[in-house]
C-alpha cells in the first residue's frame, strides 16, 4: 500500500486480493475514466396540461377568472332559471288564444303574431312579478297593498325552506330523503293533537306544539335511517314506503272518533287549532306572514352551523364524501346515518308543524303536506344542498307559488305552467353540460382556442430551446 495521500481527483487504486480468474479484481489494472468537466443534459420534455395551463392562466388572469366564475354553482343556477323562464315563455305563447289566432295569417301580417307573443309573455311574467314582489298596478291603494305580494312570497316560502333543509342535510351525508310527506304528516298530527288537546299559555302552547311536531318528524326520519344503517335497505325505497304508511295511518286516525277526528264533523278532518296554539301574524292584517318565517330563518342558521362549524357536521360531510374512508377513520357510520335522517326528519317536522299552526288552522286533513315534502327536493337541488342556497331557492319557489295565482287570474295563464318551469329548473340543474351548451360556456376540462394556441406556441419555444442547448 502506498501511504502517500491522494488528491480527490486521483483515480482509486484497486485493492489486490489475489483472486484468480479473469475478474476485475484479479490484479489487472483497470482503465480509469475521469468525470467530464461539463455534462450535456438533455432538456426535459414538457408535461402537457400542468405548467402550460398555469402559464396560460398567468398570461390571461381575467379570462381564467371569468371561466371560473361562469363555471360556478351560482351562475349555473341562475342560467338554469333563465333557461326555464324561456321555456315557460314558449309554452305561454303556444297556449295563448291570441297567438294561436294570429298564427293563422302569419305570412300575411307577421307583426300581429309577434306582437301577440310579446303581449302574452310580458303580461304573464309581469303578473308573476306583481303577484310575488311588488304590486305597482294600484299605487293609490297605499304602501300596504303594494308590498303585500312580497309578504305572501315569504309566507309561501316558509315551509319550503324548512322542507328543503330536510332534503339538503341528507344530501350532504349521501342520502336521498324522499320521505318528506310522511315526516310532515306525523309532525302535523302531533302538533295538531297538542294544539287542540291541551290548554297552555299562548306563547308556550304554540312553541310546545311546534317542538312536538319536530320530534315526531325526527323520529319518523330516524326510522328510515335505522333501516338503512342496520339492514342495508335503500333509503329511497324505505322513505317512499313510509310515506304511504304515514298517509294511511293518519287518514285512519282522522276518520276515527276520539283520535284526530273533529267531534263536530263526520268528515276526516281534525278540530280547529285554538288561538293559543296558532302562530301570530308578524305585521298584522292584511298581511298573512306569520312568525313561522322567523323559525325557518333560525333553522337555516342552525343548519349552517351544524354542517360547517360543528364536529358532528364534519362527520356528516366525511361520510358524504367517502363512507369507507370515514369508517376507516373510526367514525360510526351507522350512528351518523341514523342521526342524519333524524335531523332531516326534524326539519321536515318543522315544515309540517308550520302548516298546522300557521297556514291551516281551521282543521287539517291528510293533504296537509300540500306537496311541500316533494317540493323540498327541488328547493334543495336548486340551492346546491347548502343551507343559505336552500333559503334563497325557497324564496324563489315561494315567489312562483304566490305569483302563479295572479298570473292565472289576470292573464288566464294555466298555473300548471309554473309547475313546468319548476320542473325544467330541476332538469337544467341536473344537466349542467346542457346549460353550458345552450349558453356557449366552456365545458369543464375543455380548453379554449386561445389556450390551445398559447400552449402550442409555448411547446414550440420549449423544444427550440432544448435543441439549442
Amino acid at each position: 500500500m502506498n501511504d502517500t495521500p491522494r488528491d480527490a481527483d486521483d483515480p482509486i487504486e484497486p485493492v489486490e486480493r489475489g483472486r484468480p480468474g479473469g475478474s476485475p479484481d484479479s490484479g489487472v489494472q483497470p482503465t480509469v475514466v475521469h468525470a467530464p468537466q461539463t455534462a450535456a443534459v438533455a432538456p426535459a420534455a414538457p408535461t402537457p396540461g400542468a405548467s402550460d395551463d398555469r402559464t396560460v392562466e398567468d398570461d390571461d388572469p381575467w379570462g381564467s377568472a371569468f371561466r371560473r366564475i361562469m363555471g360556478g354553482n351560482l351562475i349555473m343556477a341562475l342560467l338554469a332559471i333563465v333557461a326555464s323562464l324561456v321555456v315557460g315563455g314558449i309554452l305561454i305563447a303556444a297556449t295563448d288564444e291570441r297567438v294561436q289566432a294570429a298564427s293563422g295569417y302569419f305570412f300575411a301580417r307577421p307583426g300581429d303574431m309577434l306582437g301577440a307573443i310579446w303581449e302574452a309573455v310580458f303580461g304573464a311574467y309581469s303578473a308573476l312579478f306583481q303577484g310575488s314582489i311588488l304590486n305597482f298596478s294600484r299605487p293609490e291603494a297605499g304602501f300596504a297593498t303594494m308590498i303585500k305580494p312580497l309578504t305572501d312570497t315569504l309566507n309561501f316560502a316558509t315551509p319550503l325552506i324548512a322542507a328543503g333543509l330536510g332534503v339538503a342535510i341528507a344530501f350532504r351525508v349521501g342520502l336521498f330523503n324522499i320521505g318528506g310527506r310522511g315526516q310532515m304528516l306525523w309532525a302535523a298530527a302531533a302538533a295538531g293533537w297538542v294544539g287542540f288537546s291541551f290548554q297552555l299559555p299562548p306563547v308556550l302552547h304554540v312553541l310546545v306544539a311546534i317542538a312536538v311536531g319536530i320530534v315526531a318528524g325526527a323520529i319518523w326520519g330516524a326510522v328510515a335511517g335505522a333501516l338503512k344503517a342496520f339492514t342495508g335497505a335503500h333509503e329511497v325505497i324505505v322513505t317512499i314506503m313510509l310515506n304511504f304508511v304515514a298517509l294511511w295511518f293518519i287518514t285512519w286516525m282522522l276518520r276515527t272518533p276520539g283520535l284526530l277526528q273533529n267531534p263536530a264533523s263526520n268528515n276526516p278532518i281534525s278540530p280547529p287549532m285554538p288561538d293559543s296554539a296558532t302562530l301570530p301574524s308578524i305585521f298584522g292584517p292584511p298581511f298573512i306572514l306569520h312568525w313561522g318565517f322567523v323559525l325557518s330563518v333560525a333553522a337555516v342558521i342552525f343548519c349552517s352551523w351544524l354542517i360547517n362549524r360543528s364536529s358532528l357536521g364534519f362527520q356528516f360531510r366525511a361520510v358524504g364524501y367517502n363512507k369507507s374512508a370515514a369508517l376507516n377513520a373510526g367514525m360510526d357510520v351507522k350512528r351518523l346515518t341514523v342521526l342524519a335522517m333524524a335531523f332531516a326528519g326534524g326539519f321536515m317536522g318543522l315544515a309540517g308543524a308550520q302548516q298546522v299552526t300557521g297556514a291551516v288552522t281551521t282543521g287539517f286533513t291528510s293533504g296537509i303536506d300540500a306537496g311541500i315534502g316533494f317540493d323540498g327536493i327541488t328547493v334543495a337541488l336548486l340551492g346546491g344542498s347548502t343551507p343559505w342556497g336552500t333559503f334563497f331557492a325557497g324564496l324563489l319557489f315561494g315567489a312562483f307559488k304566490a305569483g302563479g295565482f295572479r298570473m292565472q287570474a289576470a292573464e288566464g295563464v294555466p298555473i300548471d305552467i309554473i309547475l313546468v318551469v319548476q320542473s325544467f329548473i330541476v332538469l337544467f340543474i341536473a344537466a349542467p353540460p346542457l346549460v353550458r351548451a345552450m349558453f356557449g360556456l366552456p365545458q369543464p376540462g375543455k380548453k379554449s382556442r386561445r389556450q390551445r394556441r398559447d400552449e402550442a406556441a409555448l411547446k414550440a419555444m420549449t423544444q427550440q430551446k432544448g435543441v439549442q442547448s
Side-chain angles (χ1 to χ4, degrees):
M1 296 294 291
N2 188 5
D3 296 335
T4 303
R6 294 192 301 264
D7 189 52
D9 292 346
D10 290 341
I12 300 176
E13 297 180 358
V15 180
E16 297 181 1
R17 300 181 182 274
R19 295 171 60 182
S23 64
D25 296 334
S26 59
V28 180
Q29 185 70 19
T31 303
V32 178
V33 179
H34 291 277
Q37 297 296 328
T38 59
V41 181
T47 303
S51 61
D52 295 352
D53 290 344
R54 184 167 54 253
T55 305
V56 172
E57 288 185 359
D58 292 340
D59 292 341
D60 187 17
W62 292 106
S64 61
F66 175 76
R67 286 188 294 272
R68 287 194 297 267
I69 292 174
M70 295 306 294
N73 294 330
L74 177 60
I75 297 298
M76 293 303 300
L78 293 177
L79 293 179
I81 295 171
V82 172
S84 302
L85 292 177
V86 171
V87 174
I90 295 174
L91 295 177
I92 291 171
T95 56
D96 188 76
E97 296 180 355
R98 294 167 295 180
V99 175
Q100 295 174 357
S103 63
Y105 53 91
F106 172 74
F107 293 101
R109 287 187 297 176
D112 291 354
M113 182 177 175
L114 296 177
I117 292 175
W118 169 257
E119 291 179 0
V121 176
F122 179 78
Y125 284 149
S126 177
L128 179 65
F129 177 83
Q130 295 185 46
S132 59
I133 306 298
L134 190 65
N135 184 11
F136 50 82
S137 61
R138 296 176 55 195
E140 70 280 357
F143 179 77
T145 303
M146 185 180 300
I147 204 67
K148 187 178 183 301
L150 179 59
T151 62
D152 294 342
T153 293
L154 299 180
N155 186 67
F156 279 107
T158 295
L160 289 174
I161 294 171
L165 294 176
V167 179
I169 193 171
F171 278 154
R172 300 302 294 268
V173 195
L175 301 173
F176 200 174
N177 182 21
I178 313 184
R181 185 180 189 184
Q183 295 154 15
M184 286 186 63
L185 284 174
W186 277 112
W193 177 74
V194 171
F196 57 73
S197 299
F198 295 92
Q199 298 293 331
L200 297 173
V203 178
L204 181 63
H205 198 178
V206 65
L207 292 178
V208 171
I210 292 177
V212 172
I214 293 174
V215 172
I219 292 174
W220 200 243
V223 170
L227 292 175
K228 166 70 175 180
F230 296 102
T231 67
H234 201 284
E235 72 275 7
V236 173
I237 304 300
V238 170
T239 50
I240 290 177
M241 293 299 102
L242 287 177
N243 283 339
F244 289 100
V245 172
L247 172 63
W248 295 113
F249 201 87
I250 298 299
T251 302
W252 171 75
M253 295 177 70
L254 289 171
R255 292 176 176 175
T256 303
L259 294 179
L260 293 180
Q261 188 182 36
N262 188 354
S265 175
N266 294 325
N267 297 322
I269 188 172
S270 70
M273 297 289 285
D275 293 338
S276 59
T278 302
L279 287 168
S281 175
I282 296 179
F283 303 110
F287 304 104
I288 60 175
L289 179 63
H290 52 74
W291 283 92
F293 177 74
V294 178
L295 295 178
S296 293
V297 175
V300 172
I301 297 174
F302 170 75
C303 185
S304 179
W305 172 84
L306 175 66
I307 294 177
N308 300 318
R309 299 295 181 181
S310 66
S311 59
L312 182 60
F314 171 76
Q315 298 180 63
F316 282 165
R317 288 183 281 118
V319 173
Y321 290 147
N322 193 323
K323 186 179 296 185
S324 300
L327 185 63
N328 293 332
M331 299 181 185
D332 192 347
V333 176
K334 293 182 178 180
R335 181 182 68 88
L336 292 173
T337 300
V338 176
L339 285 177
M341 289 302 297
F343 276 105
F347 286 118
M348 286 289 184
L350 175 60
Q354 288 171 342
Q355 284 291 99
V356 171
T357 59
V360 182
T361 59
T362 58
F364 66 91
T365 63
S366 57
I368 186 63
D369 64 290
I372 296 174
F374 291 104
D375 290 341
I377 301 174
T378 308
V379 172
L381 287 174
L382 181 59
S385 300
T386 60
W388 288 107
T390 302
F391 173 77
F392 291 108
L395 294 181
L396 175 65
F397 281 87
F400 283 157
K401 286 182 175 292
F405 297 106
R406 180 178 177 86
M407 189 174 67
Q408 183 181 28
E411 299 295 328
V413 178
I415 198 172
D416 297 334
I417 297 294
I418 295 298
L419 300 178
V420 173
V421 171
Q422 294 176 359
S423 302
F424 270 99
I425 288 177
V426 177
L427 174 63
F428 291 136
I429 287 294
L434 178 61
V435 179
R436 293 190 180 96
M438 291 173 59
F439 290 92
L441 300 178
Q443 300 290 341
K446 184 178 180 181
K447 299 174 182 178
S448 63
R449 183 180 302 175
R450 181 177 180 179
Q451 278 184 305
R452 294 193 297 267
R453 184 180 67 246
D454 292 343
E455 288 178 1
L458 184 61
K459 184 177 181 181
M461 293 173 59
T462 305
Q463 292 177 350
Q464 184 178 4
K465 289 182 179 180
V467 172
Q468 292 176 355
S469 60

